[in-house]
Amino acid sequence: MITDANVGQFLTERHPDFAPLYQAHLNDWGTDPSTRYVLLRTFAEEFMTPRLRTGSPEERARLFDTVEQLLADSDSLIDDAVDHQIIGELIDAGYTLKENPVDLTGAGPATTERINRTRNWRPTKP
């Protein structure tokens, strides 16, 4: 189970190049669990999105696999943070930006479902 206590370790084990950003996060925020949103925003905006633009197919697959694993194996707090930070960033980078959008080809089924659900969300009319 991926929780506040081990999400940083999970991300750095899967993506060793993320370690400097994680260390900077720890230096700025410490291990306060409430900073999970900041950590996942950093992962999405500063690490994942640039690599989705320029990375190899293997690196893109690894990144999308990480999101799939976060969605499958996280507690509800991390799952919520993934929705708000990573899925939100993928929507912005893949659909909202007009210049240099991110190609979301290769996103796994859970990631794709979350992107579609969030993009297509409409409040129900009374």
Side-chain angles (χ1 to χ4, degrees):
M1 174 78 53
I2 302 166
T3 66
D4 285 329
N6 63 14
V7 67
Q9 179 183 351
F10 167 78
L11 293 172
T12 57
E13 285 175 359
R14 303 242 340 147
H15 306 281
D17 291 351
F18 180 67
L21 289 170
Y22 180 52
Q23 187 57 54
H25 171 83
L26 291 174
N27 292 343
D28 291 344
W29 299 96
T31 58
D32 182 356
S34 67
T35 66
R36 75 183 72 83
Y37 289 92
V38 176
L39 176 61
L40 291 175
R41 179 181 305 141
T42 299
F43 179 77
E45 290 179 0
E46 297 180 35
F47 187 80
M48 187 173 184
T49 298
R51 282 159 180 79
L52 288 175
R53 285 194 170 101
T54 62
S56 68
E58 294 80 16
E59 184 174 29
R60 292 172 54 79
R62 238 183 354 267
L63 288 162
F64 283 130
D65 185 57
T66 296
V67 178
E68 287 291 305
Q69 193 164 358
L70 283 165
L71 292 172
D73 298 333
S74 295
D75 67 13
S76 62
L77 295 173
I78 295 298
D79 186 87
D80 185 65
V82 170
D83 253 351
H84 286 85
Q85 302 307 323
I86 296 177
I87 299 300
E89 171 64 13
L90 290 174
I91 290 168
D92 188 49
Y95 298 101
T96 306
L97 298 178
K98 301 301 180 202
E99 292 183 30
N100 198 19
V102 171
D103 180 5
L104 299 179
T105 302
T111 304
T112 300
E113 186 277 325
R114 296 281 182 110
I115 289 170
N116 289 334
R117 181 188 69 193
T118 303
R119 279 183 63 228
N120 298 327
W121 177 81
R122 302 281 187 273
T124 55
K125 295 181 180 180

